[in-house]
Amino acid sequence: MAERQYAIQARKNSEAERVEHMLANMASNKAYRYAADRAGRDADGKLLAEHIERFKAYRAGWRGYPKRAIQEKLADQYYKVTGNPPQCVDIETAAFCDLACSFCYRQWITTPDKLIDDALFYRLIDQCEELGVPSVKLNWRGEPLLHPKLAKFVDYAKKHGVLETIINTNAVTLTEEKARALIQAGLDLVIYSFDGGSKATYEKMRVGRFGINAFEPVYENIRRFARLREELGSPFPRTKIQMILTKDTYGEQEEFFKLFEDCVDDVSVKAYTERGGEIPDLEPESQSAVRHFLHERGLPEDTTYWRDMHGQISVATGRLACEQIYQRLMVTYDGTVSMCCYDWGSQHPIGYVDERAWTQAPKDYDAVMEKVAANAKGFEFLQNVQMPNRYSKPPKQVQTLKEIWDGGPLNGVRRAHIGGYMDKMAICKQCPFKETYTWQQLPLVQVSRTPA
């Protein structure tokens, strides 16, 4: 099996430190504390040991379960043979976002400004508990801090046995009140998205949708969160921050690490993936090197490529079966379920957990297009937005997460990937996810370490 390359990079072993931190502090994990309260006590530490072993299995399975499935060519039989549930369910608590980043898919694929219904969220967590899902991420296509009940949602997930609760956030509205509430609710991991090692680059990359988004207050929000966590004496949530590597940000990696290495647990960078904005990720010198390399080998000009944090440029030579179809499920605010985080418009749905997905959601999408046409406040940046394509049409029926996880649509996707014909599916053929490709490196002599 070809070695898989991962697009998120750091200067240390992020995964090892994440696991070590969780295991060392499992006694403070709110899922364990709730379980101990229900049991009356845990004098012999048996319950704590069970939580530790469960977390070890979860993190080992994150890469291990897909690897086994791919090696053994498990498609329709995956759940029947292994009994493995999704290792994470991403629940879109808020499809709404307060930024208008030029590189974001939201500028190109219509996304309603909606919050998830409380009853749907709680029902999903109940199903996660029944399935034995170890982690839940409380966002997908929007900004989770915009949901007023986010902390309550976190607490409910922990009360129902979710080992690791996660959010990705732009930190724009991370007030002291919200920060305290999330820490006290038992949130386990915060992943900040912050692009740029300087004020100028950050404000160019992270544009406010309804007003000016400035570097200083967001930077202070992140630093204050670290101080509050220390003041409250909590080992959680662990924090991580990511910057995507574009032509503008690539040369600011050192500044980016310096900004956050004293207040964020894990500082990392991520390869740029095209989402519609056509943001340049290489300066002219490196673009020329890529074109020359492709021309010499008779490869198409649109061959996928990427540059890592060390300056190494690689071009795609083939495809790999995707890990995500064995790792996670994505649920939109309206109850549509998708198979991976790169299906931004939920264009290849694999099922529904709520009838609003086909009764109300179409009206929500139409409403966005009407506001774009009217150039309404907050929609000025969306003039190129288009309705998402629908590449699959699962039956219009409400199912459980378990039924969808082992259902025909997802198993069909697994068959395509295991069989090596994923390019026959529109959503997978155009996928920019770096981890689904095999790579060949360009000679290092052709690579510019820092942009001109």
Side-chain angles (χ1 to χ4, degrees):
M1 182 183 296
E3 183 178 355
R4 196 180 299 269
Q5 302 295 315
Y6 295 103
I8 298 177
Q9 298 178 295
R11 292 177 173 176
K12 54 187 180 181
N13 190 327
S14 299
E15 173 65 13
E17 290 195 3
R18 173 180 176 180
V19 173
E20 181 182 359
H21 180 84
M22 180 64 87
L23 298 182
N25 294 284
M26 187 60 73
S28 297
N29 185 300
K30 205 166 183 182
Y32 164 71
R33 286 161 48 199
Y34 272 127
D37 288 344
R38 287 192 295 269
R41 61 192 180 95
D42 186 29
D44 60 2
K46 183 179 179 180
L47 193 58
L48 180 60
E50 290 175 356
H51 279 70
I52 287 174
E53 290 306 311
R54 187 178 171 219
F55 189 83
K56 288 181 180 178
Y58 151 52
R59 291 317 300 168
W62 186 254
R63 303 289 187 202
Y65 292 161
K67 183 176 182 180
R68 175 191 172 184
I70 294 166
Q71 287 177 335
E72 297 182 12
K73 298 188 181 302
L74 299 176
D76 300 68
Q77 312 87 0
Y78 177 67
Y79 185 67
K80 296 177 180 66
V81 170
T82 69
N84 295 331
Q87 294 305 287
C88 184
V89 174
D90 297 52
I91 302 174
E92 187 175 71
T93 53
F96 195 13
C97 190
D98 47 1
L99 294 184
C101 306
S102 59
F103 56 84
C104 182
Y105 76 94
R106 294 179 62 94
Q107 313 309 315
W108 311 95
I109 301 178
T110 305
T111 311
D113 291 336
K114 292 291 181 178
L115 304 179
I116 197 168
D117 178 74
D118 294 6
L120 174 56
F121 177 85
Y122 295 133
R123 178 155 45 89
L124 288 169
I125 295 298
D126 292 346
Q127 292 181 20
C128 287
E129 181 180 27
E130 181 182 354
L131 255 176
V133 174
S135 71
V136 168
K137 187 153 73 69
L138 286 82
N139 66 279
W140 180 18
R141 303 176 300 172
E143 172 50 52
L145 293 180
L146 298 179
H147 200 299
K149 295 185 179 179
L150 183 63
K152 291 182 178 179
F153 287 170
V154 170
D155 181 69
Y156 188 86
K158 301 305 291 185
K159 191 175 293 183
H160 287 260
V162 177
L163 276 178
E164 189 174 53
T165 51
I166 308 165
I167 62 168
N168 285 80
T169 177
N170 57 35
V172 171
T173 62
L174 187 58
T175 63
E176 180 173 347
E177 180 182 6
K178 289 182 181 179
R180 286 185 183 276
L182 289 170
I183 295 169
Q184 293 169 344
L187 185 63
D188 298 288
L189 177 62
V190 174
I191 304 174
Y192 300 117
S193 296
F194 191 101
D195 297 301
S198 68
K199 172 181 171 66
T201 300
Y202 171 81
E203 292 180 357
K204 176 182 178 181
M205 296 287 289
R206 296 244 152 203
V207 178
R209 183 177 168 194
F210 300 100
I212 295 174
N213 179 43
F215 172 94
E216 292 86 356
V218 180
Y219 182 56
E220 173 55 24
N221 287 348
I222 293 170
R223 299 194 69 86
R224 182 179 59 226
F225 191 91
R227 295 195 301 269
L228 285 171
R229 187 183 65 176
E230 183 176 0
E231 289 173 14
L232 293 171
S234 175
F236 299 114
R238 183 170 172 80
T239 55
K240 178 176 183 175
I241 195 162
Q242 294 177 173
M243 176 177 75
I244 61 169
L245 295 178
T246 67
K247 182 173 72 70
D248 291 322
T249 65
Y250 187 82
E252 295 186 356
Q253 291 183 72
E254 191 62 40
E255 291 81 357
F256 178 70
F257 277 87
K258 287 180 179 178
L259 279 173
F260 296 107
E261 59 190 0
D262 68 336
C263 63
V264 177
D265 300 313
D266 181 1
V267 184
S268 59
V269 295
K270 184 177 182 180
Y272 172 72
T273 52
E274 177 56 46
R275 303 177 186 181
E278 298 183 352
I279 304 299
D281 55 346
L282 298 178
E283 72 291 340
E285 176 189 357
S286 292
Q287 289 176 359
S288 177
V290 170
R291 287 194 297 269
H292 179 72
F293 185 87
L294 295 176
H295 178 74
E296 279 193 334
R297 287 155 181 78
L299 297 172
E301 290 187 4
D302 61 353
T303 298
T304 300
Y305 66 86
W306 73 297
R307 174 170 57 179
D308 68 18
M309 68 183 294
H310 305 295
Q312 179 64 62
I313 298 177
S314 301
V315 298
T317 57
R319 295 296 300 274
L320 296 171
C322 186
E323 292 179 311
Q324 289 204 30
I325 54 179
Y326 297 102
Q327 289 171 330
R328 67 206 300 187
L329 290 175
M330 325 294 295
V331 185
T332 65
Y333 78 95
D334 59 58
T336 301
V337 182
S338 290
M339 61 185 175
C340 82
C341 68
Y342 273 76
D343 183 7
W344 302 112
S346 198
Q347 298 179 105
H348 193 107
I350 55 174
Y352 307 105
V353 290
D354 197 284
E355 65 178 16
R356 275 167 285 200
W358 66 84
T359 59
Q360 180 59 43
K363 302 173 187 176
D364 297 338
Y365 282 80
D366 288 340
V368 173
M369 298 305 293
E370 291 172 4
K371 290 181 179 179
V372 170
N375 204 32
K377 178 71 173 177
F379 294 82
E380 306 95 325
F381 299 95
L382 305 179
Q383 295 308 308
N384 293 312
V385 75
Q386 295 181 358
M387 293 286 273
N389 295 311
R390 294 300 178 204
Y391 299 122
S392 66
K393 295 182 179 180
K396 292 181 179 179
Q397 60 184 29
V398 174
Q399 294 181 292
T400 65
L401 292 175
K402 182 178 180 179
E403 290 170 332
I404 294 171
W405 182 243
D406 190 33
L410 181 53
N411 284 332
V413 174
R414 289 169 177 153
R415 283 196 303 273
H417 278 254
I418 293 298
Y421 55 90
M422 70 283 284
D423 280 352
K424 293 188 179 299
M425 294 188 299
I427 193 66
C428 296
K429 182 177 182 179
Q430 63 190 27
C431 180
F433 194 35
K434 308 300 186 187
E435 292 153 22
T436 65
Y437 292 86
T438 56
W439 301 96
Q440 181 179 349
Q441 294 181 345
L442 272 69
L444 279 172
V445 294
Q446 293 182 324
V447 178
S448 173
R449 178 63 184 87
T450 54

Short mmCIF file of all heavy atoms in Angstrom, two decimals, residues 15 38 43 51 94 118 188 191 199 202 228 231 241 250 255 270 290 292 302 328 340 374 392 398 403 427:
data_model
loop_
_atom_site.label_atom_id
_atom_site.label_comp_id
_atom_site.label_asym_id
_atom_site.label_seq_id
_atom_site.Cartn_x
_atom_site.Cartn_y
_atom_site.Cartn_z
N GLU A 15 -0.05 14.39 17.32
CA GLU A 15 -0.94 13.30 17.71
C GLU A 15 -0.47 12.65 19.01
O GLU A 15 -1.27 12.40 19.91
CB GLU A 15 -1.01 12.25 16.59
CG GLU A 15 -1.77 10.99 16.95
CD GLU A 15 -3.25 11.21 17.21
OE1 GLU A 15 -3.77 12.31 16.89
OE2 GLU A 15 -3.90 10.29 17.75
N ARG A 38 -22.54 8.82 38.29
CA ARG A 38 -23.65 7.87 38.14
C ARG A 38 -23.36 6.56 38.85
O ARG A 38 -24.27 5.92 39.38
CB ARG A 38 -23.92 7.61 36.64
CG ARG A 38 -24.58 8.76 35.92
CD ARG A 38 -25.07 8.35 34.55
NE ARG A 38 -23.98 7.98 33.65
CZ ARG A 38 -23.35 8.83 32.83
NH1 ARG A 38 -23.72 10.11 32.81
NH2 ARG A 38 -22.39 8.41 32.05
N ALA A 43 -13.70 3.94 43.35
CA ALA A 43 -12.61 3.76 44.31
C ALA A 43 -11.48 2.89 43.77
O ALA A 43 -10.30 3.14 44.04
CB ALA A 43 -13.17 3.17 45.61
N HIS A 51 -12.17 4.22 30.62
CA HIS A 51 -12.18 5.43 29.79
C HIS A 51 -10.83 5.62 29.11
O HIS A 51 -10.77 6.04 27.94
CB HIS A 51 -12.53 6.65 30.64
CG HIS A 51 -14.01 6.81 30.88
ND1 HIS A 51 -14.72 5.96 31.69
CD2 HIS A 51 -14.90 7.72 30.40
CE1 HIS A 51 -15.99 6.34 31.71
NE2 HIS A 51 -16.13 7.39 30.94
N ALA A 94 -24.06 25.33 13.76
CA ALA A 94 -24.33 26.60 13.10
C ALA A 94 -23.80 26.55 11.68
O ALA A 94 -22.60 26.34 11.48
CB ALA A 94 -23.69 27.76 13.86
N ASP A 118 -32.60 22.39 18.48
CA ASP A 118 -32.15 21.75 19.72
C ASP A 118 -32.50 20.26 19.75
O ASP A 118 -31.66 19.41 20.09
CB ASP A 118 -32.77 22.42 20.94
CG ASP A 118 -32.31 23.85 21.14
OD1 ASP A 118 -31.59 24.38 20.26
OD2 ASP A 118 -32.66 24.45 22.17
N ASP A 188 -13.21 19.53 25.08
CA ASP A 188 -11.92 18.84 25.14
C ASP A 188 -10.86 19.40 24.19
O ASP A 188 -9.68 19.34 24.49
CB ASP A 188 -12.11 17.36 24.81
CG ASP A 188 -13.01 16.68 25.81
OD1 ASP A 188 -12.56 16.46 26.95
OD2 ASP A 188 -14.17 16.37 25.46
N ILE A 191 -9.87 23.98 18.04
CA ILE A 191 -8.97 24.17 16.91
C ILE A 191 -9.25 25.55 16.32
O ILE A 191 -10.33 25.80 15.79
CB ILE A 191 -9.18 23.08 15.83
CG1 ILE A 191 -9.01 21.69 16.46
CG2 ILE A 191 -8.20 23.28 14.68
CD1 ILE A 191 -9.35 20.55 15.52
N LYS A 199 -0.42 41.19 11.01
CA LYS A 199 -1.72 41.87 10.99
C LYS A 199 -2.21 42.04 9.55
O LYS A 199 -3.37 41.75 9.23
CB LYS A 199 -1.58 43.23 11.66
CG LYS A 199 -2.81 44.13 11.55
CD LYS A 199 -2.56 45.48 12.23
CE LYS A 199 -3.67 46.47 11.95
NZ LYS A 199 -4.97 46.05 12.54
N TYR A 202 -3.26 38.61 7.98
CA TYR A 202 -4.46 38.09 8.62
C TYR A 202 -5.70 38.84 8.15
O TYR A 202 -6.71 38.24 7.78
CB TYR A 202 -4.35 38.18 10.15
CG TYR A 202 -5.65 37.84 10.84
CD1 TYR A 202 -6.03 36.52 11.05
CD2 TYR A 202 -6.53 38.85 11.24
CE1 TYR A 202 -7.25 36.20 11.64
CE2 TYR A 202 -7.75 38.55 11.83
CZ TYR A 202 -8.10 37.22 12.03
OH TYR A 202 -9.32 36.91 12.60
N LEU A 228 -7.60 32.14 30.97
CA LEU A 228 -8.79 31.70 31.69
C LEU A 228 -8.69 30.21 32.04
O LEU A 228 -9.06 29.79 33.14
CB LEU A 228 -10.04 31.96 30.86
CG LEU A 228 -10.51 33.41 30.79
CD1 LEU A 228 -11.62 33.54 29.76
CD2 LEU A 228 -11.01 33.87 32.15
N GLU A 231 -6.45 30.00 34.94
CA GLU A 231 -7.09 30.52 36.15
C GLU A 231 -8.09 29.52 36.73
O GLU A 231 -8.23 29.38 37.95
CB GLU A 231 -7.80 31.84 35.84
CG GLU A 231 -6.88 33.01 35.59
CD GLU A 231 -7.65 34.24 35.12
OE1 GLU A 231 -8.89 34.24 35.26
OE2 GLU A 231 -7.00 35.19 34.63
N ILE A 241 -3.93 25.46 16.80
CA ILE A 241 -4.18 26.54 15.85
C ILE A 241 -3.58 26.16 14.50
O ILE A 241 -2.51 25.53 14.45
CB ILE A 241 -3.61 27.88 16.34
CG1 ILE A 241 -4.19 29.05 15.53
CG2 ILE A 241 -2.09 27.91 16.35
CD1 ILE A 241 -4.05 30.40 16.21
N TYR A 250 2.84 31.69 3.34
CA TYR A 250 3.94 30.74 3.40
C TYR A 250 5.20 31.32 4.03
O TYR A 250 5.85 30.69 4.86
CB TYR A 250 4.26 30.21 1.99
CG TYR A 250 5.28 29.09 2.05
CD1 TYR A 250 4.89 27.78 2.34
CD2 TYR A 250 6.63 29.35 1.84
CE1 TYR A 250 5.82 26.77 2.42
CE2 TYR A 250 7.57 28.34 1.93
CZ TYR A 250 7.16 27.05 2.22
OH TYR A 250 8.09 26.06 2.32
N GLU A 255 6.84 33.71 11.94
CA GLU A 255 6.09 34.70 12.71
C GLU A 255 4.82 34.07 13.32
O GLU A 255 4.46 34.37 14.46
CB GLU A 255 5.70 35.87 11.82
CG GLU A 255 6.87 36.74 11.38
CD GLU A 255 7.63 36.17 10.19
OE1 GLU A 255 7.28 35.06 9.72
OE2 GLU A 255 8.58 36.82 9.74
N LYS A 270 -1.25 23.99 7.38
CA LYS A 270 -2.01 23.05 6.56
C LYS A 270 -1.89 23.44 5.10
O LYS A 270 -1.97 24.62 4.75
CB LYS A 270 -3.48 23.07 7.00
CG LYS A 270 -4.36 22.06 6.29
CD LYS A 270 -5.77 22.11 6.85
CE LYS A 270 -6.67 21.07 6.19
NZ LYS A 270 -8.06 21.12 6.72
N VAL A 290 6.81 23.93 -11.27
CA VAL A 290 5.76 22.91 -11.38
C VAL A 290 5.39 22.70 -12.85
O VAL A 290 5.30 21.55 -13.32
CB VAL A 290 4.52 23.30 -10.56
CG1 VAL A 290 3.36 22.36 -10.87
CG2 VAL A 290 4.84 23.26 -9.07
N HIS A 292 7.15 23.25 -15.50
CA HIS A 292 8.28 22.61 -16.20
C HIS A 292 8.30 21.11 -15.88
O HIS A 292 8.49 20.28 -16.78
CB HIS A 292 9.59 23.27 -15.76
CG HIS A 292 10.81 22.66 -16.39
ND1 HIS A 292 11.13 22.85 -17.72
CD2 HIS A 292 11.77 21.84 -15.87
CE1 HIS A 292 12.24 22.19 -18.00
NE2 HIS A 292 12.65 21.58 -16.90
N ASP A 302 -3.32 20.62 -15.22
CA ASP A 302 -4.14 20.75 -14.01
C ASP A 302 -3.87 19.64 -12.99
O ASP A 302 -4.66 19.43 -12.07
CB ASP A 302 -5.63 20.76 -14.38
CG ASP A 302 -6.07 19.47 -15.07
OD1 ASP A 302 -5.21 18.63 -15.40
OD2 ASP A 302 -7.30 19.32 -15.28
N ARG A 328 -15.86 8.94 9.80
CA ARG A 328 -16.76 9.97 10.31
C ARG A 328 -18.03 10.10 9.48
O ARG A 328 -18.12 9.61 8.36
CB ARG A 328 -16.03 11.31 10.36
CG ARG A 328 -15.68 11.85 8.99
CD ARG A 328 -14.49 12.78 8.99
NE ARG A 328 -14.68 13.97 9.82
CZ ARG A 328 -13.82 14.99 9.85
NH1 ARG A 328 -12.73 14.98 9.10
NH2 ARG A 328 -14.04 16.03 10.62
N CYS A 340 -18.02 13.05 4.04
CA CYS A 340 -16.68 13.57 4.32
C CYS A 340 -16.72 15.08 4.45
O CYS A 340 -17.65 15.73 3.98
CB CYS A 340 -15.68 13.15 3.24
SG CYS A 340 -15.68 14.17 1.76
N ALA A 374 -30.47 40.59 -4.03
CA ALA A 374 -30.84 41.90 -3.48
C ALA A 374 -29.63 42.65 -2.91
O ALA A 374 -29.77 43.78 -2.43
CB ALA A 374 -31.89 41.73 -2.40
N SER A 392 -26.11 12.74 -5.66
CA SER A 392 -26.78 11.52 -5.21
C SER A 392 -28.15 11.89 -4.65
O SER A 392 -28.34 13.01 -4.17
CB SER A 392 -25.96 10.79 -4.15
OG SER A 392 -25.88 11.55 -2.97
N VAL A 398 -36.42 9.36 7.03
CA VAL A 398 -35.60 9.63 8.21
C VAL A 398 -34.98 8.32 8.69
O VAL A 398 -35.69 7.33 8.91
CB VAL A 398 -36.44 10.27 9.33
CG1 VAL A 398 -35.61 10.42 10.60
CG2 VAL A 398 -36.96 11.63 8.88
N GLU A 403 -28.11 3.36 10.83
CA GLU A 403 -28.63 2.88 9.55
C GLU A 403 -27.88 3.50 8.38
O GLU A 403 -27.59 2.83 7.37
CB GLU A 403 -30.12 3.19 9.44
CG GLU A 403 -30.99 2.34 10.37
CD GLU A 403 -32.43 2.82 10.44
OE1 GLU A 403 -32.67 4.03 10.23
OE2 GLU A 403 -33.31 1.98 10.72
N ILE A 427 -18.20 13.86 -6.99
CA ILE A 427 -17.72 14.53 -5.78
C ILE A 427 -16.30 14.09 -5.43
O ILE A 427 -15.49 14.87 -4.92
CB ILE A 427 -18.68 14.29 -4.58
CG1 ILE A 427 -18.35 15.25 -3.44
CG2 ILE A 427 -18.65 12.85 -4.12
CD1 ILE A 427 -18.60 16.71 -3.76
#
